[in-house]
Amino acid sequence: MTHNTVGNTARVLGAGLRALLVLTLVCGLLYPLAVTGIAQALFPGKANGSEIRDASGQVVGSSLIGLRYDLPPEKGGAAPAPDLRWFQPRPSHGLGTNSVNTQYSLLLSGATNRSGDNEELIRWVREARAAVMRDNSTASYRVDPGGIPADAVTSSGSGLDPHISPAYAKLQIHRVAEKNGLDVEEVEDLVADHTAGRVLGFLGEPRVNVLELNTALRNLTRSR
């Protein structure tokens, strides 16, 4: 009786170990290799993080994650001012602040969770609206307060949206042209070239990827 029990236990353990080895090989090695190989063959750009490269081939970021374009932070811990040579993304309010990665002021992705009548949200919108009018008005162009799009003064649901609306991109054209010594028409063409339409013609809204646009702007200014 004892020998039968030991033998049964040994067979069960042996079968379990064999199943463990087979599943480890299939699920832990073969399946990941197959998925990785298919992704690299069919969607290499997306499989590698949707990287964006400049004219020299250097990776400057991902088209999926928003980046800020700020001046170096001043002494005393004051928030860095936006670098007005570049197109600016949406505001980046979210679930937490970031003291490590100065490329974006978020540590945790998420919405602000403020209601429409929240005093802090109202203050953020008013401050952003004033900044948009101040920063984007030039000697030959004045921002129309009634024409400021919503994405210029509010953050996205994730707080990391890499896109802005064509309206917000167009609002920044005169300032970007002036700061970089470019013709307004050149910058308008740049925005038009980097404006993506609706997916399949009806899903979503037209959009402009800020990192892609600024990378093209950098390539244009460096070629001068």
Side-chain angles (χ1 to χ4, degrees):
M1 187 73 175
T2 303
H3 292 295
N4 289 337
T5 302
V6 172
N8 290 336
T9 301
R11 283 194 295 272
V12 171
L13 289 176
L17 287 174
R18 288 193 296 272
L20 174 63
L21 291 174
V22 171
L23 291 174
T24 299
L25 179 63
V26 173
C27 299
L29 182 62
L30 297 180
Y31 177 73
L33 286 176
V35 171
T36 301
I38 292 172
Q40 290 292 339
L42 300 180
F43 315 103
K46 294 180 179 179
N48 292 320
S50 300
E51 296 173 338
I52 295 178
R53 300 176 182 271
D54 61 16
S56 66
Q58 180 179 358
V59 175
V60 295
S62 169
S63 64
L64 304 177
I65 302 294
L67 294 178
R68 290 191 58 81
Y69 291 82
D70 291 331
L71 296 170
E74 298 179 358
K75 294 182 179 179
D83 189 340
L84 299 181
R85 296 174 300 166
W86 309 103
F87 286 92
Q88 293 296 317
R90 299 182 66 164
S92 56
H93 301 299
L95 296 178
T97 57
N98 184 356
S99 60
V100 179
N101 181 5
T102 58
Q103 290 297 310
Y104 217 68
S105 62
L106 285 180
L107 183 60
L108 301 174
S109 173
T112 60
N113 292 327
R114 267 64 169 186
S115 63
D117 59 353
N118 180 270
E119 293 183 1
E120 187 174 31
L121 177 61
I122 293 173
R123 176 175 59 82
W124 286 344
V125 171
R126 286 175 176 170
E127 291 176 350
R129 181 174 179 271
V132 168
M133 294 179 61
R134 179 186 65 247
D135 293 343
N136 292 284
S137 293
T138 67
S140 59
Y141 175 77
R142 285 291 180 269
V143 175
D144 177 11
I148 298 177
D151 62 306
V153 297
T154 58
S155 60
S156 65
S158 68
L160 298 172
D161 192 349
H163 299 100
I164 57 176
S165 65
Y168 187 26
K170 291 176 182 177
L171 185 149
Q172 302 182 61
I173 284 175
H174 287 78
R175 183 252 301 163
V176 170
E178 180 182 272
K179 295 294 183 180
N180 289 280
L182 300 171
D183 293 334
V184 170
E185 291 76 13
E186 287 183 290
V187 184
E188 287 177 338
D189 291 341
L190 208 60
V191 170
D193 291 341
H194 290 83
T195 299
R198 293 179 173 86
V199 179
L200 300 178
F202 67 94
L203 294 176
E205 295 292 333
R207 61 207 180 279
V208 179
N209 188 287
V210 179
L211 179 57
E212 292 179 353
L213 179 59
N214 279 333
T215 301
L217 175 63
R218 180 184 288 112
N219 294 338
L220 177 63
T221 57
R222 285 178 176 175
S223 66
R224 296 303 178 91

